Each structure stands twice: as structure tokens, then as C-alpha cells.
Amino acid sequence: LKEVGTVLVKFGFEDLLVRLRLTTLLNDARNLVGIKANEQGTRPGRVRMVMDELGVVFIKWGQYLSSRDDLIPEAYIKEFTRLQDAVPPVALENIEKALQGIMDSGDLIEIAPEPLAAASIGQVHEARLCDGQEVVVKVRRPGLRKKVATDLEILAYLADLMEKHIPTLSSARPKDMVAEFSRGLISELDFTLEAVNLERFGRFYAANPKVKVPKIYRSLCSERVIVMEKVDGLKFDDHPALVAAGYDLKELARFGAEVVFEQIMVFGYFHGDPH
């Protein structure tokens, strides 16, 4: 909590700590050597910088708020949509440690040293199984569950203070928002749920040649590891590459809309993060 207070003071939010009655926290932050308020830029921009510096949970919280244009002013929405959860990659030795059981079994025999992607929750590497099959391995960042639990507790505490001491925010019910956000984030930490979802979508589209769902290697998956078939492709928003490959963009858009509506109207189960 002291770390949160220090970052708030660093970016010029002493007034918020005063309104939340966190004066002891404010005094501690002021006494830290070298702490200077950064009040450059807009207030929404500085809120985004606070979230960025505080890491995983606060970045995810900003991303969550960016979808709540029913409650958050547009200037904040614009800033929060800029939040990215790309972070420096975890060292390969730590990734290999997390994969030790699979590698010892002989099922996974090779992993690429450079990650395909490193985000706030997981890190993705290309790998190869003992039968030569190319796969993609997603590993949860080490120590993440404990850090997330601590930060969510702090976020809930701050939300409670906001409802008590800032009347203009109480109508947004920050405690309820944090509770909903927390449930979603905690479920993201359990990769078993993601594996189940992949299998379910695989069944939905088993007979549709236009939709490719990566095969999941369920016996190699766990709460913190997912192993799936490697599938090459183009990003949906990379228009020059799609045109160069001979795709009809209008047809792609039409089919993409059909897929989404089918999930909502027919399957009653939709993919919330198609990118």
C-alpha cells in the first residue's frame, strides 16, 4: 500500500490521498528520498502512468475501465485504451523450470529461447514435441498468483475508501466494479479454464472448414501451462498483408461478423478477446 501511495504522490495525486483520509501514507511517501511530483500532462494521462508503473493488476484494471464508457469520462477512456500489458520477458531458465515436469517426461523436447510474446500474465514460446510436432507453449509468470492476490486486496481497500469519502464516485459503485474485475482476473490465472474453452470452441467448429481452432494437448496442460498446436496466420487488422495474400477484406469482415453472431445466438458462448 505504501508503494501505491508513493507512485500516486510521484505523479501528483497527493489530493487523492488526502480525500481518501490516507494522510499517514501521504507523509510516508513525501519522506521518501528523491520523490518529486510529476504533474506534466493531463490528469487522465497521469492516471494511466500510475497504472502502468504499478504493474499487472492496475494495468488490467485500467483496461477493464476502458470498456466502461457508461461510467468513465471519454478523456480517461482514451488514455486507458493505451495501456498495454506487454512486459519484459521472464528469463528462459524460469520458463524451463515451470516446464520441468513435461520436459522430464520426454513429451516436450525443445523450446525456443526467444518468446513469441510476453504479456503481464503469460509468456509464449514455440516448442517441439517428441514426435516432431511444432507447438506453442504458454506459461504463467512465476509468483504471479501471490502478487495478484495482494494487489486485488489493496484495490478493494481503495475502492471501499472511495465509496466512503468521495461522493461523486460512490454512484459508480467502485466496490462492485472491483469485485467483478477480480473474479475475471483470478479466472485468467487458471490456464485450465482456457484449455477447456479451446476444446469447447474446437467442438463448435469441428465441421466448419473456414474456422481453425488450435488443437490442445490436454495431457500436457496444467493450471499454469497450456500446450497447443502451432498455427500460422495473419493478423485480422493487418490489411496490407491480407490484401497481398489475396483475401477479400469485405468478405473477411462479413464472415467475422457471422462467426461472432453465431457464437452469441447459436452457441450461447462467445470469444471475448478475438485479436
Side-chain angles (χ1 to χ4, degrees), residues 72 161 196:
I72 308 297
L161 293 180
V196 169

Side-chain angles (χ1 to χ4, degrees), residues 94 122 211-212 225 272:
N94 292 328
V211 179
K212 173 67 177 176
V225 175

